[in-house]
Amino acid sequence: MKRALSIFALALLTVGMFSCEPETDVQDTEAMIKTLKLDQDQATDGKHSDGDEGRGNG
């Protein structure tokens, strides 16, 4: 009985994976990547935020 239940669970999982459609398309993904790149460029504007500047290492 455990074997039949395991096989049924795997079959159901496989069918579920193929029946799902992606909710995003290529244009949405590209827009998201552009937004992330803009955010990253703004976050790294060349200024250092290290607290170690000016401190001795020894």
Side-chain angles (χ1 to χ4, degrees), residues 1-9:
M1 184 67 183
K2 286 184 179 181
R3 178 181 258 174
L5 187 61
S6 297
I7 292 172
F8 178 71

Side-chain angles (χ1 to χ4, degrees), residues 12-55:
L12 186 64
L13 179 69
T14 304
V15 170
M17 287 174 52
F18 285 112
S19 67
C20 293
E21 293 182 16
E23 295 181 7
T24 59
D25 59 353
V26 174
Q27 292 173 347
D28 290 341
T29 305
E30 288 176 350
M32 182 181 64
I33 290 172
K34 286 180 184 178
T35 303
L36 290 174
K37 284 184 180 179
L38 285 175
D39 290 344
Q40 186 179 16
D41 289 343
Q42 290 174 356
T44 57
D45 58 356
K47 296 180 181 176
H48 294 285
S49 62
D50 293 343
D52 294 335
E53 286 186 14
R55 294 184 182 176

